[in-house]
Amino acid sequence: MSRFAATIFIGALVVVVLLFAFRPPDSPGEVATPAASQRTSAPSATPSAVTVPTACATYVKGMAFASGTLAERSSAAQAWMEANPGRQAWVVITDNVLTEVAARQARSQPVRDVRIAIERAGFRLGATAVAIGSFPIKVLLVPQVSNGTIRFDLRELDTDGLPGFFRGSIEDSIRKAADPAGWGLRMRIDGIATDSGCAVVWGSA
């Protein structure tokens, strides 16, 4: 080895030794996390109310599911309950996720432009009835829990002049559009609470 090469080799060795000597010590309890490309996303589940709308935070008493579509929240809650038998889960519902479900369920019904606004009194549904013309309709759906399931009482129905003989079919269409069976909740429902812009459903497997 030439003197020049030997000088380069010794210099590189000194740099390596210095790097190890002055490397900061590992933090105790530190765990390596996977790269962003290796992470998998899932609906959030938290026993706190961090992702729960403020109006509904007080109704959550345990593990809450408040991220993703309603189907994703329901599926995540079901999986968690199966892994934790005997424990309750809280599924948080907001105006937009419920409107998405209702609009999908209404596609085969004579109602269009379905939208739902959640308030303390219940679910305020607005839509357009299509029957010999178009008629804006409004109704308050008041949820009731019975034998582990949710059903709705229709109140304050306003059909804006829709002929009376269509009323029965429109009421049936509203019930189908808002049917909780389409929410994907397979739990036994223990309770439901509604407030401004959100609702919380809780139950167990």
Side-chain angles (χ1 to χ4, degrees):
M1 181 183 293
S2 66
R3 179 177 299 177
F4 177 77
T7 300
I8 295 298
F9 175 79
I10 292 171
L13 184 61
V14 169
V15 170
V16 172
V17 171
L18 288 174
L19 285 174
F20 273 93
F22 292 99
R23 181 173 64 90
D26 291 332
S27 300
E30 187 172 294
V31 179
T33 56
S37 60
Q38 296 175 310
R39 298 179 190 140
T40 56
S41 60
S44 66
T46 171
S48 67
V50 175
T51 59
V52 178
T54 302
C56 285
T58 57
Y59 304 113
V60 176
K61 307 300 182 184
M63 185 64 77
F65 297 83
S67 294
T69 64
L70 184 50
E72 289 171 339
R73 301 177 194 201
S74 301
S75 178
Q78 186 67 30
W80 182 85
M81 286 185 295
E82 290 174 357
N84 297 270
R87 298 185 62 184
Q88 288 181 312
W90 279 254
V91 176
V92 180
I93 303 171
T94 54
D95 292 347
N96 59 333
V97 296
L98 193 55
T99 293
E100 179 185 359
V101 173
R104 185 169 62 249
Q105 293 179 171
R107 286 174 185 167
S108 60
Q109 305 300 321
V111 291
R112 301 289 183 270
D113 306 323
V114 177
R115 56 203 176 276
I116 294 180
I118 306 173
E119 56 188 57
R120 183 162 293 186
F123 300 87
R124 186 76 63 177
L125 182 146
T128 300
V130 181
I132 314 179
S134 298
F135 299 85
I137 58 175
K138 299 176 183 178
V139 64
L140 176 63
L141 304 170
V142 180
Q144 306 288 340
V145 175
S146 177
N147 296 322
T149 60
I150 301 173
R151 66 177 180 81
F152 286 121
D153 288 339
L154 274 61
R155 302 179 186 175
E156 303 176 19
L157 177 60
D158 180 1
T159 56
D160 192 43
L162 179 74
F165 53 84
F166 285 115
R167 188 181 179 98
S169 63
I170 292 303
E171 288 181 357
D172 185 57
S173 296
I174 291 171
R175 286 192 174 92
K176 289 179 179 177
D179 188 357
W183 296 2
L185 294 171
R186 290 178 289 154
M187 65 172 71
R188 175 181 173 80
I189 307 299
D190 294 327
I192 181 171
T194 59
D195 214 306
S196 179
C198 59
V200 180
V201 179
W202 63 91
S204 54

